[in-house]
Amino acid sequence: MSYSNPGPGDYGPPPQPGQPPAGGYAYPQSAPGYGYPNQGPSYPAAPPVGYPQAPGYGMPMQPSNGMGTTGLVLGIIGVVCSLTFFLWFFGVILGILGIIFGAIGRGKATRGEATNKGSATAGLVLGITATVILPLLGFLAFASLMSVA
């Protein structure tokens, strides 16, 4: 049997009168009265206003102690280099970097992002010592030696 007038999509039998055309792979229409009635969700999608949200189960942030630790290490190396006669220039540079990293690490510890406020403070103090105090003492010692001779 060939159909001279195919249905929509050029396949299948033509639609019967009083019946909507079935398109493609549509689900068949079920007769009324069968199955569960169409209901909306039985719970609200968002909590009502005024009720607190439940806490999340995410991992807590790890403290970022790198800046304070870096300030401490640079401050220590800066003091050692400043005490050495030939490396005092590197001691001043490392002392300046120790001041910068120590101040940033101390700010992070004050805001609660880091837990090593003592290390950051020590790096800041050692950086100041390596940058200002030891070169000044070295200069005064050199000037006193030159004035004696």
Side-chain angles (χ1 to χ4, degrees), residues 94-106:
L94 292 176
I96 291 171
L97 291 174
I99 291 170
I100 292 169
F101 282 106
I104 293 172
R106 194 170 150 89

Side-chain angles (χ1 to χ4, degrees), residues 33-89:
Y34 294 105
Y36 294 105
N38 189 9
Q39 293 180 351
S42 61
Y43 56 90
V49 178
Y51 291 102
Q53 292 280 352
Y57 292 103
M59 295 290 294
M61 283 185 44
Q62 296 291 330
S64 60
N65 294 330
M67 293 290 185
T69 304
T70 304
L72 178 64
V73 170
L74 289 174
I76 291 171
I77 296 173
V79 166
V80 170
C81 288
S82 290
L83 289 174
T84 308
F85 178 72
F86 296 106
L87 299 175
W88 70 269
F89 182 73

